[in-house]
Amino acid sequence: MKIGNREFDLKSHAYVMGILNVTPDSFSDGGRWNDRDRAMRHTEEMIAQGATIIDIGGESTRPGYTMISDEEEIARVLPMIEMVKANFDIPVSIDTYKSGVARAALEAGADLVNDIWGLKFDPKIADVIAEKKVPCCLMHNRKQADYKDFIPDFLEDMKETIAIAKRAGIADEKIILDPGVGFGKTYENNLEIIHHLECMHQLGYPVLLGTSRKSVIGLTLDLPADQRVEGTVATTVIGLMKGAAFVRVHDVKENYRALKMTEAILKS
């Protein structure tokens, strides 16, 4: 898969997507990287630690979040996208579910759209992705965790997202799927989808696992967001063993090292 100017060998390796939140209210790092110089240092650090994509988000999507306007989100993310692209040779992902933000971000240099609603919130975002011919990460989400049979229902939801992408003209080789840990799921659903991540392979696309510091880890270990590194690493290792091609994390160094060690064992 090509993202930006980089080829990703998804058959042989898993890759780390480093998170750069430019929000005042994200659940684990709200406000830390809003300053341009700090954000630049943090990006440099994540790249040195093993990140191969930087995911920039301008609106918190934690439980109970307040939606902001396109204009405010664009004002937050565009300077950071431009900063990263001007200073580093690394693909940039825009974490948004809004077509207006996606278009502005792509025109500012972003290379991938990461949509937490799997194209189901804003019907125009699929057209923007298709028009710009960029890759996308499409996440599973629901407004309510009202499943009759979780895994089959989950897979049907993902098939709906894929159908939207295909109708818009998004090429198969441009699609990554994300199981949406922490979104539209109970605690038990979150554990189950990590445990059965391999079920997504029947859909035929690379999988990104995003569990970093999430509530499923906090509830399991009874720990606050800033003490969930080890729990995240455990999910990263299991994710790789279940066939994930990407992991999206805050703590790049620890997760990158765990990936490398796990890969070495699996290839031995």
Side-chain angles (χ1 to χ4, degrees):
M1 172 176 277
K2 189 170 186 183
I3 304 174
N5 62 1
R6 174 158 187 169
E7 291 283 348
F8 288 79
D9 177 8
L10 304 184
K11 287 189 170 62
S12 303
H13 295 289
Y15 297 90
V16 175
M17 176 185 278
I19 299 169
L20 182 63
N21 283 324
V22 287
T23 56
D25 55 345
S26 286
F27 78 97
S28 71
D29 57 356
R32 287 190 70 188
W33 315 118
N34 293 3
D35 175 79
R36 187 183 183 280
D37 290 338
R38 276 189 303 177
M40 191 157 94
R41 287 195 300 272
H42 185 51
T43 301
E44 186 173 29
E45 180 182 56
M46 288 195 290
I47 294 168
Q49 291 175 348
T52 44
I53 306 174
I54 301 298
D55 188 51
I56 297 176
E59 178 181 272
S60 172
T61 52
R62 75 196 194 288
Y65 73 95
T66 302
M67 187 187 295
I68 61 173
S69 67
D70 285 22
E71 292 73 22
E72 186 175 353
E73 192 173 342
I74 289 167
R76 289 178 182 180
V77 298
L78 255 60
M80 295 304 175
I81 294 167
E82 290 164 353
M83 177 272 292
V84 174
K85 296 304 288 188
N87 291 279
F88 306 102
D89 182 22
I90 192 167
V92 167
S93 164
I94 176 64
D95 181 0
T96 190
Y97 51 90
K98 302 169 188 169
S99 59
V101 177
R103 181 178 293 280
L106 293 170
E107 289 173 356
D111 304 291
L112 180 149
V113 175
N114 183 14
D115 180 359
I116 66 160
W117 279 103
L119 309 177
K120 293 180 180 179
F121 183 90
D122 180 346
K124 295 178 183 174
I125 197 167
D127 297 325
V128 171
I129 294 165
E131 175 196 330
K132 298 294 185 180
K133 295 183 170 57
V134 293
C136 55
C137 181
L138 307 177
M139 197 186 86
H140 176 267
N141 206 341
R142 272 194 184 195
K143 291 183 178 174
Q144 301 292 332
D146 51 353
Y147 305 96
K148 290 189 177 76
D149 192 350
F150 174 60
I151 295 289
D153 291 356
F154 162 86
L155 290 169
E156 283 305 309
D157 288 353
M158 290 261 72
K159 288 172 184 174
E160 289 171 8
T161 282
I162 293 164
I164 296 168
K166 285 183 169 295
R167 282 198 300 273
I170 300 171
D172 280 340
E173 64 270 18
K174 301 287 190 185
I175 296 173
I176 302 164
L177 300 179
D178 178 343
V181 172
F183 291 82
K185 296 171 187 66
T186 65
Y187 169 74
E188 292 78 15
N189 294 155
N190 287 317
L191 291 174
E192 188 175 354
I193 197 56
I194 297 168
H195 185 193
H196 296 288
L197 195 66
E198 72 278 3
C199 75
M200 296 184 71
H201 298 320
Q202 65 184 268
L203 300 170
Y205 299 93
V207 173
L208 178 146
L209 181 63
T211 59
S212 188
R213 303 183 185 174
K214 286 186 175 175
S215 62
V216 65
I217 298 167
L219 290 167
T220 301
L221 302 179
D222 191 22
L223 289 172
D226 62 355
Q227 293 182 39
R228 299 174 187 171
V229 180
E230 300 90 346
T232 302
V233 166
T235 64
T236 289
V237 170
I238 290 172
L240 180 58
M241 294 177 75
K242 299 282 185 176
F246 300 91
V247 291
R248 178 182 178 274
V249 297
H250 300 85
D251 305 289
V252 171
K253 177 180 69 177
E254 295 85 350
N255 286 279
Y256 176 75
R257 289 176 178 177
L259 273 184
K260 278 195 77 173
M261 190 68 224
T262 308
E263 275 189 356
I265 294 166
L266 293 176
K267 289 177 180 176
S268 67

